[in-house]
Amino acid sequence: MTTTSTASTASNASTASTASTTNDDSQAGSPMDTTPANVRPAQRPPHRPRHRLLTLLIVVLLIAVPGGYLVRSAFQSRDSGEDKQRKAAATNLTYGWPSKVQRNVYDVPLPAQSSHHAFYEDNSWKTSSLYVQFRTSQKRLDDFLEDVGTDRAALKKGEVTIGEKHADHVGWDFNREDRDWAGTTYRQKQGRPTVSITVDRTHESRPRVYVVSTVKF
């Protein structure tokens, strides 16, 4: 009886000692990891070579600089157009060609190769008038006069055929003595416009032509 108890006690002590030794060895071989499970180890940022950054800078400049010039040019063009519109508003004139319908109604066949066009149409109960100014060559002036129904011989030197009231209405000044004026008035039958033409021949190669065509009802 005593022998069996002693053997059992020795066996249990040996088992406990073995388990303790195993646990100690496990703990000694695997140090405790205190890093949280959801935290990733720090990573170095990707390396960006200097030549790539330089290339990117050049591309940005190539896009930005021309764009800046375009914006500046657009503003300058807009300002120039606004200046012209303000000048036109001050004289009642609109820069550009009158419509084809207006040219046909008032018998004002503008030459194809002419420039510096401006016009104004004035309507009332009894009369309607189209005011036109342009520059052209001597040859085109002859063509214009012929298309109207007259010719260069009808132009009287020193004569202004557009009245002061009409001239003031659109800001024309025919009182300058340093100008070589010549004019004629082409009258047609009832119901057709009367076309008054005054030419500034100061610059012989590019005379400036002023026209007032009036239709009476």
Side-chain angles (χ1 to χ4, degrees), residues 136-171:
T136 190
S137 63
Q138 293 287 351
K139 173 64 171 60
R140 296 297 178 181
L141 175 59
D142 289 338
D143 293 341
F144 168 72
L145 293 172
E146 182 179 349
D147 290 340
V148 170
T150 184
D151 55 30
R152 184 184 291 269
L155 293 175
K156 297 181 181 179
K157 182 177 176 59
E159 185 168 340
V160 175
T161 56
I162 297 174
E164 186 173 352
K165 182 178 179 181
H166 284 301
D168 291 343
H169 196 53
V170 292

Side-chain angles (χ1 to χ4, degrees), residues 27-168:
Q27 292 178 359
S30 301
M32 185 177 294
D33 186 4
T34 59
T35 304
N38 60 347
V39 176
R40 295 182 178 179
Q43 296 181 357
R44 294 181 60 185
H47 177 64
R48 297 182 181 276
R50 290 185 178 180
H51 72 274
R52 291 182 60 187
L53 295 177
L54 181 60
T55 302
L56 179 61
L57 177 60
I58 293 174
V59 171
V60 171
L61 291 176
L62 289 175
I63 295 174
V65 172
Y69 280 112
L70 288 175
V71 172
R72 181 180 178 184
S73 299
F75 276 109
Q76 290 177 343
S77 178
R78 185 194 67 178
D79 292 341
S80 176
E82 290 177 351
D83 289 340
K84 288 184 178 181
Q85 290 299 325
R86 283 194 291 269
K87 291 179 181 178
T91 61
N92 290 328
L93 292 169
T94 298
Y95 287 96
W97 286 63
S99 68
K100 185 175 181 180
V101 172
Q102 289 173 314
R103 300 197 303 269
N104 290 337
V105 168
Y106 292 97
D107 286 347
V108 182
L110 293 182
Q113 296 181 359
S114 53
S115 62
H116 297 79
H117 306 91
F119 71 97
Y120 173 72
E121 185 176 13
D122 183 29
N123 298 309
S124 66
W125 289 105
K126 294 182 179 181
T127 62
S128 289
S129 297
L130 179 67
Y131 301 72
V132 181
Q133 69 180 44
F134 61 92
R135 279 188 180 278
T136 190
S137 63
Q138 293 287 351
K139 173 64 171 60
R140 296 297 178 181
L141 175 59
D142 289 338
D143 293 341
F144 168 72
L145 293 172
E146 182 179 349
D147 290 340
V148 170
T150 184
D151 55 30
R152 184 184 291 269
L155 293 175
K156 297 181 181 179
K157 182 177 176 59
E159 185 168 340
V160 175
T161 56
I162 297 174
E164 186 173 352
K165 182 178 179 181
H166 284 301
D168 291 343

